[in-house]
Structures are given as structure tokens and as C-alpha cells.
Amino acid sequence: CGGLMGGNGALVAPKAEARRIVTRAHGAIASMPMGSKAMIRAPLYNKLTLSNKQKSDYIKKRNFEVLGNGARRSSDMASNLDRFLSSIAYLIPLLDGLRYSKFLLSDFPALATIFVPLTPLIQLYFQFPYSGLIFFFVLYLGLAQNRSMSRFVRFNGMQAVLLDVILNIPSLAERFLLPQEALASTFGLWAYIQAYNTIFLYIFLSVGYGMVTSALGKAGRIPLVADAADASSSQ
């Protein structure tokens, strides 16, 4: 087979032979379904030694951006419509998260100027009863679970959905688990305010990050929700 005997008695393929093996293997992989390619390419690429030029050409040829759990998508495949839909999806958790901003915005009024351009949207969103629930299902069914949408849109849509779901956890805890006597003490009130500020900052920063990366055509992974969103959009 033209190999050389290694110290442990195993045959080690020379570089030239290894390169020919990789070339033939890549040809075989190219004809396989996308799901199988993602599972095979990484082990093949790691086990066989390639020259720096081959590595560079291989990476450029793929030009994939890793979204997680082996799922990949080229950033240049995100159309302008994909970027727009992915960006506006994050407005839903932002609007629903405003109820946690009352303490932070009162302490830092300058921060409230960021939301001035959104005033008409905020008024419209909270003008009608059950508008939050309606927009949630529009986001979930229209983007996150809509198989006619690109994976890029579904990934960002699901991240927005999960951010909105997270907002319901402290709301339910406050309604059913928080005794009113806890707010009577100085420490209890301080902890209550800090919890509100922390929730709002998490939502605000996550939404900002998600909107910017979506506008750039990148799949920004938001802590706490990215893995679940990736798994859902990969199905």
C-alpha cells in the first residue's frame, strides 16, 4: 500500500497518499446529503494531515459559519429579507421586557431616550388587550416554526421566542411565590429592584446583540437560549 511502518507497528500513510485519500473522500462527501456531510467532514478533516494551503482552500470552499451542534449556514446566504425579519423578531421580547425597566429607567433617565423612536410602536403594542399573546404566536408560527423560512430566520425567531418565554418565569414567580411582606423590608425591596434591573438588562443586551448580528447576516448566539433555538431550527 506504499505506507511506512510506525513505531507501534501501524502503517502510516505518506503525505502524498493522505492527500489523495482526502481528495477522493471529499468527492464522495459532496454527493451525500447535507446532514451526513456535517457528521463526516469534521472527523475526516481532523484525522488526516493537510498542508496549510490545502487547509486554507478547504475552509474557503466551505465558508460556513457554525451555528452549533454541527449545524452550519453560510453567512452570505442570509438575504436582506432574512436579515430584516430576523432583526424585527427581537422587538417582541424587547416590548414585553419593558415592564422590568421601571426602576432602571427612573434611575437613569438618559437610557430612556433610546426608546423614543419606538414610542408609536410601544403605544400600539400595549393599546389592545392580548396583543402580546397575538404577536407571540405570530412570531412562533410565522417565523420560528415556519419551514418555508430560511434556517437563519427560524434560528433567530426561536431565540426571540425563548427570550419571551423566559420573561414569563419571573412574572409567574412574582405573582404566585413572592409574599408582599418581603417588600416591606429594606433588603427585600432592594433585592426586588435588583432582580427587575437584571432581567431588563439581560433582555435589552440580548435583543441588541441579536438585532445587530442579524442585520449583519450573522447568527449571534444568545446565552441561555441559543442551544435550544439551534436544536429547534435544525429539525
Side-chain angles (χ1 to χ4, degrees):
C1 61
L4 298 179
M5 187 66 68
N8 59 357
L11 288 176
V12 180
K15 288 185 178 179
E17 181 64 21
R19 292 170 186 171
R20 285 195 293 271
I21 294 174
V22 171
T23 301
R24 290 196 299 269
H26 285 174
I29 292 173
S31 62
M32 298 177 64
M34 279 301 297
S36 301
K37 293 179 190 179
M39 297 174 60
I40 291 178
R41 272 178 172 161
L44 176 66
Y45 180 74
N46 292 333
K47 288 182 179 179
L48 297 176
T49 303
L50 305 179
S51 66
N52 291 333
K53 184 178 183 305
Q54 283 180 309
K55 291 179 182 178
S56 177
D57 292 342
Y58 179 72
I59 293 172
K60 288 179 181 178
K61 182 178 179 181
R62 290 173 63 192
N63 192 25
F64 280 147
E65 176 184 358
V66 177
L67 296 182
N69 295 333
R72 296 171 172 84
R73 177 180 176 85
S74 177
S75 60
D76 60 5
M77 291 175 63
S79 66
N80 290 334
L81 180 60
D82 288 345
R83 300 180 188 199
F84 173 74
L85 292 175
S86 297
S87 297
I88 64 171
Y90 290 102
L91 288 176
I92 304 302
L94 177 63
L95 294 174
D96 286 335
L98 286 177
R99 66 177 180 267
Y100 295 102
S101 68
K102 58 183 180 180
F103 298 117
L104 190 65
L105 295 185
S106 62
D107 291 339
F108 302 95
L111 187 61
T113 58
I114 299 176
F115 300 97
V116 171
L118 297 177
T119 300
L121 179 61
I122 294 172
Q123 293 174 345
L124 178 64
Y125 187 79
F126 292 104
Q127 183 176 0
F128 302 101
Y130 306 109
S131 59
L133 185 63
I134 294 172
F135 278 103
F136 174 83
F137 280 106
V138 169
L139 175 61
Y140 181 72
L141 299 176
L143 295 183
Q145 293 296 313
N146 189 347
R147 298 303 169 184
S148 64
M149 294 292 178
S150 67
R151 188 194 185 294
F152 182 81
V153 173
R154 287 187 283 115
F155 172 76
N156 285 287
M158 184 54 69
Q159 284 202 132
V161 166
L162 293 174
L163 285 175
D164 210 46
V165 170
I166 285 178
L167 287 172
N168 290 318
I169 298 176
S171 177
L172 293 173
E174 179 182 0
R175 179 176 299 180
F176 297 108
L177 301 178
L178 180 67
Q180 293 299 318
E181 296 78 11
L183 301 180
S185 65
T186 303
F187 176 78
L189 182 60
W190 176 86
Y192 181 75
I193 294 174
Q194 298 309 310
Y196 261 60
N197 292 345
T198 301
I199 294 168
F200 177 71
L201 283 175
Y202 168 72
I203 294 297
F204 178 74
L205 295 176
S206 297
V207 166
Y209 176 70
M211 294 185 73
V212 170
T213 54
S214 294
L216 295 175
K218 306 293 183 182
R221 298 182 61 83
I222 298 175
L224 301 183
V225 299
D227 290 341
D230 192 34
S232 175
S233 59
S234 297
Q235 295 176 357

PDB file of all heavy atoms in Angstrom, residues 152-181:
ATOM      1  N   PHE A 152     -31.781  30.542   8.926  1.00  0.00           N
ATOM      2  CA  PHE A 152     -31.288  31.758   9.583  1.00  0.00           C
ATOM      3  C   PHE A 152     -32.430  32.485  10.282  1.00  0.00           C
ATOM      4  O   PHE A 152     -32.314  32.891  11.441  1.00  0.00           O
ATOM      5  CB  PHE A 152     -30.629  32.652   8.538  1.00  0.00           C
ATOM      6  CG  PHE A 152     -30.041  33.926   9.080  1.00  0.00           C
ATOM      7  CD1 PHE A 152     -28.795  33.921   9.684  1.00  0.00           C
ATOM      8  CD2 PHE A 152     -30.732  35.119   8.977  1.00  0.00           C
ATOM      9  CE1 PHE A 152     -28.250  35.100  10.179  1.00  0.00           C
ATOM     10  CE2 PHE A 152     -30.200  36.291   9.464  1.00  0.00           C
ATOM     11  CZ  PHE A 152     -28.954  36.282  10.072  1.00  0.00           C
ATOM     12  N   VAL A 153     -33.559  32.645   9.592  1.00  0.00           N
ATOM     13  CA  VAL A 153     -34.715  33.329  10.168  1.00  0.00           C
ATOM     14  C   VAL A 153     -35.313  32.502  11.298  1.00  0.00           C
ATOM     15  O   VAL A 153     -35.671  33.038  12.358  1.00  0.00           O
ATOM     16  CB  VAL A 153     -35.767  33.602   9.076  1.00  0.00           C
ATOM     17  CG1 VAL A 153     -37.051  34.152   9.697  1.00  0.00           C
ATOM     18  CG2 VAL A 153     -35.223  34.573   8.048  1.00  0.00           C
ATOM     19  N   ARG A 154     -35.432  31.185  11.089  1.00  0.00           N
ATOM     20  CA  ARG A 154     -36.022  30.335  12.122  1.00  0.00           C
ATOM     21  C   ARG A 154     -35.168  30.299  13.382  1.00  0.00           C
ATOM     22  O   ARG A 154     -35.695  30.270  14.500  1.00  0.00           O
ATOM     23  CB  ARG A 154     -36.222  28.919  11.571  1.00  0.00           C
ATOM     24  CG  ARG A 154     -37.370  28.827  10.572  1.00  0.00           C
ATOM     25  CD  ARG A 154     -37.668  27.413  10.151  1.00  0.00           C
ATOM     26  NE  ARG A 154     -36.697  26.917   9.188  1.00  0.00           N
ATOM     27  CZ  ARG A 154     -35.847  25.921   9.398  1.00  0.00           C
ATOM     28  NH1 ARG A 154     -35.841  25.291  10.564  1.00  0.00           N
ATOM     29  NH2 ARG A 154     -35.011  25.529   8.457  1.00  0.00           N
ATOM     30  N   PHE A 155     -33.851  30.305  13.230  1.00  0.00           N
ATOM     31  CA  PHE A 155     -32.954  30.307  14.388  1.00  0.00           C
ATOM     32  C   PHE A 155     -33.141  31.581  15.209  1.00  0.00           C
ATOM     33  O   PHE A 155     -33.321  31.539  16.428  1.00  0.00           O
ATOM     34  CB  PHE A 155     -31.509  30.176  13.919  1.00  0.00           C
ATOM     35  CG  PHE A 155     -30.488  30.353  15.012  1.00  0.00           C
ATOM     36  CD1 PHE A 155     -30.262  29.343  15.933  1.00  0.00           C
ATOM     37  CD2 PHE A 155     -29.763  31.523  15.126  1.00  0.00           C
ATOM     38  CE1 PHE A 155     -29.328  29.501  16.947  1.00  0.00           C
ATOM     39  CE2 PHE A 155     -28.831  31.694  16.139  1.00  0.00           C
ATOM     40  CZ  PHE A 155     -28.610  30.676  17.052  1.00  0.00           C
ATOM     41  N   ASN A 156     -33.110  32.729  14.554  1.00  0.00           N
ATOM     42  CA  ASN A 156     -33.276  33.997  15.275  1.00  0.00           C
ATOM     43  C   ASN A 156     -34.695  34.153  15.807  1.00  0.00           C
ATOM     44  O   ASN A 156     -34.902  34.688  16.902  1.00  0.00           O
ATOM     45  CB  ASN A 156     -32.922  35.166  14.352  1.00  0.00           C
ATOM     46  CG  ASN A 156     -31.432  35.312  14.132  1.00  0.00           C
ATOM     47  OD1 ASN A 156     -30.694  35.736  15.015  1.00  0.00           O
ATOM     48  ND2 ASN A 156     -30.966  34.946  12.952  1.00  0.00           N
ATOM     49  N   GLY A 157     -35.682  33.673  15.028  1.00  0.00           N
ATOM     50  CA  GLY A 157     -37.050  33.731  15.521  1.00  0.00           C
ATOM     51  C   GLY A 157     -37.242  32.910  16.781  1.00  0.00           C
ATOM     52  O   GLY A 157     -37.926  33.345  17.712  1.00  0.00           O
ATOM     53  N   MET A 158     -36.616  31.719  16.823  1.00  0.00           N
ATOM     54  CA  MET A 158     -36.745  30.885  18.011  1.00  0.00           C
ATOM     55  C   MET A 158     -36.007  31.488  19.204  1.00  0.00           C
ATOM     56  O   MET A 158     -36.466  31.375  20.348  1.00  0.00           O
ATOM     57  CB  MET A 158     -36.229  29.476  17.719  1.00  0.00           C
ATOM     58  CG  MET A 158     -36.400  28.498  18.874  1.00  0.00           C
ATOM     59  SD  MET A 158     -38.107  28.387  19.487  1.00  0.00           S
ATOM     60  CE  MET A 158     -38.915  27.567  18.109  1.00  0.00           C
ATOM     61  N   GLN A 159     -34.889  32.132  18.962  1.00  0.00           N
ATOM     62  CA  GLN A 159     -34.201  32.810  20.070  1.00  0.00           C
ATOM     63  C   GLN A 159     -35.095  33.909  20.656  1.00  0.00           C
ATOM     64  O   GLN A 159     -35.173  34.073  21.873  1.00  0.00           O
ATOM     65  CB  GLN A 159     -32.874  33.411  19.593  1.00  0.00           C
ATOM     66  CG  GLN A 159     -31.771  32.405  19.407  1.00  0.00           C
ATOM     67  CD  GLN A 159     -30.380  33.027  19.450  1.00  0.00           C
ATOM     68  OE1 GLN A 159     -29.484  32.545  20.137  1.00  0.00           O
ATOM     69  NE2 GLN A 159     -30.172  34.098  18.718  1.00  0.00           N
ATOM     70  N   ALA A 160     -35.771  34.649  19.794  1.00  0.00           N
ATOM     71  CA  ALA A 160     -36.687  35.689  20.265  1.00  0.00           C
ATOM     72  C   ALA A 160     -37.849  35.085  21.037  1.00  0.00           C
ATOM     73  O   ALA A 160     -38.272  35.613  22.076  1.00  0.00           O
ATOM     74  CB  ALA A 160     -37.194  36.509  19.079  1.00  0.00           C
ATOM     75  N   VAL A 161     -38.383  33.973  20.558  1.00  0.00           N
ATOM     76  CA  VAL A 161     -39.476  33.283  21.257  1.00  0.00           C
ATOM     77  C   VAL A 161     -39.034  32.843  22.647  1.00  0.00           C
ATOM     78  O   VAL A 161     -39.755  33.039  23.638  1.00  0.00           O
ATOM     79  CB  VAL A 161     -39.952  32.063  20.436  1.00  0.00           C
ATOM     80  CG1 VAL A 161     -40.826  31.147  21.291  1.00  0.00           C
ATOM     81  CG2 VAL A 161     -40.716  32.518  19.205  1.00  0.00           C
ATOM     82  N   LEU A 162     -37.855  32.253  22.735  1.00  0.00           N
ATOM     83  CA  LEU A 162     -37.373  31.757  24.027  1.00  0.00           C
ATOM     84  C   LEU A 162     -37.071  32.902  24.989  1.00  0.00           C
ATOM     85  O   LEU A 162     -37.270  32.758  26.203  1.00  0.00           O
ATOM     86  CB  LEU A 162     -36.124  30.892  23.809  1.00  0.00           C
ATOM     87  CG  LEU A 162     -36.382  29.580  23.055  1.00  0.00           C
ATOM     88  CD1 LEU A 162     -35.070  28.859  22.768  1.00  0.00           C
ATOM     89  CD2 LEU A 162     -37.304  28.673  23.855  1.00  0.00           C
ATOM     90  N   LEU A 163     -36.596  34.023  24.475  1.00  0.00           N
ATOM     91  CA  LEU A 163     -36.409  35.193  25.337  1.00  0.00           C
ATOM     92  C   LEU A 163     -37.750  35.640  25.913  1.00  0.00           C
ATOM     93  O   LEU A 163     -37.845  36.008  27.092  1.00  0.00           O
ATOM     94  CB  LEU A 163     -35.773  36.339  24.548  1.00  0.00           C
ATOM     95  CG  LEU A 163     -34.291  36.235  24.220  1.00  0.00           C
ATOM     96  CD1 LEU A 163     -33.858  37.406  23.336  1.00  0.00           C
ATOM     97  CD2 LEU A 163     -33.443  36.202  25.492  1.00  0.00           C
ATOM     98  N   ASP A 164     -38.783  35.596  25.091  1.00  0.00           N
ATOM     99  CA  ASP A 164     -40.118  35.992  25.554  1.00  0.00           C
ATOM    100  C   ASP A 164     -40.649  35.005  26.588  1.00  0.00           C
ATOM    101  O   ASP A 164     -41.317  35.395  27.554  1.00  0.00           O
ATOM    102  CB  ASP A 164     -41.064  36.072  24.359  1.00  0.00           C
ATOM    103  CG  ASP A 164     -42.155  37.110  24.560  1.00  0.00           C
ATOM    104  OD1 ASP A 164     -41.828  38.231  24.988  1.00  0.00           O
ATOM    105  OD2 ASP A 164     -43.322  36.799  24.289  1.00  0.00           O
ATOM    106  N   VAL A 165     -40.351  33.719  26.383  1.00  0.00           N
ATOM    107  CA  VAL A 165     -40.782  32.702  27.351  1.00  0.00           C
ATOM    108  C   VAL A 165     -40.069  32.902  28.686  1.00  0.00           C
ATOM    109  O   VAL A 165     -40.684  32.778  29.766  1.00  0.00           O
ATOM    110  CB  VAL A 165     -40.507  31.297  26.797  1.00  0.00           C
ATOM    111  CG1 VAL A 165     -40.722  30.239  27.876  1.00  0.00           C
ATOM    112  CG2 VAL A 165     -41.400  31.013  25.595  1.00  0.00           C
ATOM    113  N   ILE A 166     -38.792  33.223  28.629  1.00  0.00           N
ATOM    114  CA  ILE A 166     -38.028  33.454  29.854  1.00  0.00           C
ATOM    115  C   ILE A 166     -38.650  34.580  30.683  1.00  0.00           C
ATOM    116  O   ILE A 166     -38.663  34.527  31.920  1.00  0.00           O
ATOM    117  CB  ILE A 166     -36.559  33.773  29.518  1.00  0.00           C
ATOM    118  CG1 ILE A 166     -35.828  32.492  29.093  1.00  0.00           C
ATOM    119  CG2 ILE A 166     -35.835  34.414  30.699  1.00  0.00           C
ATOM    120  CD1 ILE A 166     -34.392  32.712  28.695  1.00  0.00           C
ATOM    121  N   LEU A 167     -39.185  35.589  30.020  1.00  0.00           N
ATOM    122  CA  LEU A 167     -39.791  36.713  30.734  1.00  0.00           C
ATOM    123  C   LEU A 167     -41.003  36.297  31.562  1.00  0.00           C
ATOM    124  O   LEU A 167     -41.351  36.968  32.536  1.00  0.00           O
ATOM    125  CB  LEU A 167     -40.216  37.795  29.733  1.00  0.00           C
ATOM    126  CG  LEU A 167     -39.087  38.616  29.107  1.00  0.00           C
ATOM    127  CD1 LEU A 167     -39.625  39.495  28.000  1.00  0.00           C
ATOM    128  CD2 LEU A 167     -38.387  39.458  30.163  1.00  0.00           C
ATOM    129  N   ASN A 168     -41.642  35.213  31.188  1.00  0.00           N
ATOM    130  CA  ASN A 168     -42.823  34.758  31.927  1.00  0.00           C
ATOM    131  C   ASN A 168     -42.465  34.089  33.244  1.00  0.00           C
ATOM    132  O   ASN A 168     -43.299  34.012  34.147  1.00  0.00           O
ATOM    133  CB  ASN A 168     -43.640  33.790  31.065  1.00  0.00           C
ATOM    134  CG  ASN A 168     -44.322  34.480  29.903  1.00  0.00           C
ATOM    135  OD1 ASN A 168     -44.858  35.566  30.062  1.00  0.00           O
ATOM    136  ND2 ASN A 168     -44.286  33.865  28.742  1.00  0.00           N
ATOM    137  N   ILE A 169     -41.234  33.580  33.359  1.00  0.00           N
ATOM    138  CA  ILE A 169     -40.833  32.871  34.582  1.00  0.00           C
ATOM    139  C   ILE A 169     -40.811  33.806  35.789  1.00  0.00           C
ATOM    140  O   ILE A 169     -41.458  33.517  36.808  1.00  0.00           O
ATOM    141  CB  ILE A 169     -39.477  32.174  34.375  1.00  0.00           C
ATOM    142  CG1 ILE A 169     -39.598  31.129  33.260  1.00  0.00           C
ATOM    143  CG2 ILE A 169     -38.995  31.527  35.673  1.00  0.00           C
ATOM    144  CD1 ILE A 169     -38.292  30.458  32.904  1.00  0.00           C
ATOM    145  N   PRO A 170     -40.097  34.941  35.738  1.00  0.00           N
ATOM    146  CA  PRO A 170     -40.141  35.837  36.905  1.00  0.00           C
ATOM    147  C   PRO A 170     -41.513  36.446  37.134  1.00  0.00           C
ATOM    148  O   PRO A 170     -41.877  36.747  38.272  1.00  0.00           O
ATOM    149  CB  PRO A 170     -39.099  36.913  36.575  1.00  0.00           C
ATOM    150  CG  PRO A 170     -38.937  36.853  35.098  1.00  0.00           C
ATOM    151  CD  PRO A 170     -39.158  35.435  34.714  1.00  0.00           C
ATOM    152  N   SER A 171     -42.288  36.616  36.057  1.00  0.00           N
ATOM    153  CA  SER A 171     -43.634  37.170  36.211  1.00  0.00           C
ATOM    154  C   SER A 171     -44.527  36.228  37.011  1.00  0.00           C
ATOM    155  O   SER A 171     -45.257  36.653  37.926  1.00  0.00           O
ATOM    156  CB  SER A 171     -44.242  37.433  34.827  1.00  0.00           C
ATOM    157  OG  SER A 171     -45.553  37.910  34.937  1.00  0.00           O
ATOM    158  N   LEU A 172     -44.446  34.934  36.687  1.00  0.00           N
ATOM    159  CA  LEU A 172     -45.226  33.950  37.436  1.00  0.00           C
ATOM    160  C   LEU A 172     -44.721  33.804  38.868  1.00  0.00           C
ATOM    161  O   LEU A 172     -45.524  33.652  39.801  1.00  0.00           O
ATOM    162  CB  LEU A 172     -45.168  32.596  36.722  1.00  0.00           C
ATOM    163  CG  LEU A 172     -45.873  32.529  35.357  1.00  0.00           C
ATOM    164  CD1 LEU A 172     -45.596  31.187  34.690  1.00  0.00           C
ATOM    165  CD2 LEU A 172     -47.368  32.755  35.520  1.00  0.00           C
ATOM    166  N   ALA A 173     -43.414  33.853  39.041  1.00  0.00           N
ATOM    167  CA  ALA A 173     -42.849  33.752  40.391  1.00  0.00           C
ATOM    168  C   ALA A 173     -43.288  34.930  41.253  1.00  0.00           C
ATOM    169  O   ALA A 173     -43.599  34.767  42.444  1.00  0.00           O
ATOM    170  CB  ALA A 173     -41.325  33.684  40.311  1.00  0.00           C
ATOM    171  N   GLU A 174     -43.328  36.110  40.668  1.00  0.00           N
ATOM    172  CA  GLU A 174     -43.746  37.295  41.410  1.00  0.00           C
ATOM    173  C   GLU A 174     -45.225  37.209  41.788  1.00  0.00           C
ATOM    174  O   GLU A 174     -45.623  37.613  42.887  1.00  0.00           O
ATOM    175  CB  GLU A 174     -43.491  38.546  40.564  1.00  0.00           C
ATOM    176  CG  GLU A 174     -43.918  39.834  41.244  1.00  0.00           C
ATOM    177  CD  GLU A 174     -43.699  41.040  40.355  1.00  0.00           C
ATOM    178  OE1 GLU A 174     -43.207  40.869  39.213  1.00  0.00           O
ATOM    179  OE2 GLU A 174     -44.028  42.155  40.790  1.00  0.00           O
ATOM    180  N   ARG A 175     -46.007  36.658  40.894  1.00  0.00           N
ATOM    181  CA  ARG A 175     -47.455  36.612  41.127  1.00  0.00           C
ATOM    182  C   ARG A 175     -47.850  35.569  42.169  1.00  0.00           C
ATOM    183  O   ARG A 175     -48.733  35.826  43.001  1.00  0.00           O
ATOM    184  CB  ARG A 175     -48.182  36.327  39.811  1.00  0.00           C
ATOM    185  CG  ARG A 175     -49.692  36.244  39.944  1.00  0.00           C
ATOM    186  CD  ARG A 175     -50.343  36.066  38.593  1.00  0.00           C
ATOM    187  NE  ARG A 175     -50.062  37.176  37.706  1.00  0.00           N
ATOM    188  CZ  ARG A 175     -50.521  37.270  36.455  1.00  0.00           C
ATOM    189  NH1 ARG A 175     -51.283  36.294  35.964  1.00  0.00           N
ATOM    190  NH2 ARG A 175     -50.240  38.303  35.709  1.00  0.00           N
ATOM    191  N   PHE A 176     -47.191  34.415  42.138  1.00  0.00           N
ATOM    192  CA  PHE A 176     -47.652  33.307  42.978  1.00  0.00           C
ATOM    193  C   PHE A 176     -46.705  32.967  44.132  1.00  0.00           C
ATOM    194  O   PHE A 176     -47.132  32.322  45.097  1.00  0.00           O
ATOM    195  CB  PHE A 176     -47.843  32.048  42.118  1.00  0.00           C
ATOM    196  CG  PHE A 176     -48.905  32.200  41.071  1.00  0.00           C
ATOM    197  CD1 PHE A 176     -48.565  32.318  39.736  1.00  0.00           C
ATOM    198  CD2 PHE A 176     -50.244  32.248  41.413  1.00  0.00           C
ATOM    199  CE1 PHE A 176     -49.534  32.462  38.750  1.00  0.00           C
ATOM    200  CE2 PHE A 176     -51.228  32.394  40.443  1.00  0.00           C
ATOM    201  CZ  PHE A 176     -50.875  32.506  39.113  1.00  0.00           C
ATOM    202  N   LEU A 177     -45.447  33.368  44.059  1.00  0.00           N
ATOM    203  CA  LEU A 177     -44.475  32.942  45.068  1.00  0.00           C
ATOM    204  C   LEU A 177     -43.937  34.068  45.935  1.00  0.00           C
ATOM    205  O   LEU A 177     -43.391  33.799  47.005  1.00  0.00           O
ATOM    206  CB  LEU A 177     -43.282  32.227  44.391  1.00  0.00           C
ATOM    207  CG  LEU A 177     -43.626  30.978  43.564  1.00  0.00           C
ATOM    208  CD1 LEU A 177     -42.358  30.409  42.934  1.00  0.00           C
ATOM    209  CD2 LEU A 177     -44.304  29.930  44.431  1.00  0.00           C
ATOM    210  N   LEU A 178     -44.066  35.302  45.496  1.00  0.00           N
ATOM    211  CA  LEU A 178     -43.485  36.416  46.248  1.00  0.00           C
ATOM    212  C   LEU A 178     -44.479  36.957  47.263  1.00  0.00           C
ATOM    213  O   LEU A 178     -45.513  37.519  46.889  1.00  0.00           O
ATOM    214  CB  LEU A 178     -43.066  37.535  45.291  1.00  0.00           C
ATOM    215  CG  LEU A 178     -42.431  38.763  45.944  1.00  0.00           C
ATOM    216  CD1 LEU A 178     -41.080  38.393  46.560  1.00  0.00           C
ATOM    217  CD2 LEU A 178     -42.254  39.894  44.921  1.00  0.00           C
ATOM    218  N   PRO A 179     -44.202  36.798  48.531  1.00  0.00           N
ATOM    219  CA  PRO A 179     -45.104  37.361  49.555  1.00  0.00           C
ATOM    220  C   PRO A 179     -44.945  38.880  49.624  1.00  0.00           C
ATOM    221  O   PRO A 179     -43.834  39.408  49.491  1.00  0.00           O
ATOM    222  CB  PRO A 179     -44.639  36.689  50.845  1.00  0.00           C
ATOM    223  CG  PRO A 179     -43.210  36.333  50.601  1.00  0.00           C
ATOM    224  CD  PRO A 179     -43.082  36.034  49.126  1.00  0.00           C
ATOM    225  N   GLN A 180     -46.013  39.578  49.820  1.00  0.00           N
ATOM    226  CA  GLN A 180     -45.963  41.038  49.883  1.00  0.00           C
ATOM    227  C   GLN A 180     -45.153  41.524  51.084  1.00  0.00           C
ATOM    228  O   GLN A 180     -44.586  42.612  51.061  1.00  0.00           O
ATOM    229  CB  GLN A 180     -47.393  41.600  49.959  1.00  0.00           C
ATOM    230  CG  GLN A 180     -48.203  41.373  48.699  1.00  0.00           C
ATOM    231  CD  GLN A 180     -47.579  42.033  47.483  1.00  0.00           C
ATOM    232  OE1 GLN A 180     -47.102  43.171  47.561  1.00  0.00           O
ATOM    233  NE2 GLN A 180     -47.575  41.318  46.366  1.00  0.00           N
ATOM    234  N   GLU A 181     -45.082  40.702  52.124  1.00  0.00           N
ATOM    235  CA  GLU A 181     -44.307  41.098  53.306  1.00  0.00           C
ATOM    236  C   GLU A 181     -42.822  41.227  52.987  1.00  0.00           C
ATOM    237  O   GLU A 181     -42.086  41.958  53.660  1.00  0.00           O
ATOM    238  CB  GLU A 181     -44.495  40.076  54.429  1.00  0.00           C
ATOM    239  CG  GLU A 181     -45.916  39.978  54.962  1.00  0.00           C
ATOM    240  CD  GLU A 181     -46.829  39.163  54.048  1.00  0.00           C
ATOM    241  OE1 GLU A 181     -46.307  38.502  53.111  1.00  0.00           O
ATOM    242  OE2 GLU A 181     -48.060  39.189  54.263  1.00  0.00           O
TER     243      GLU A 181
END
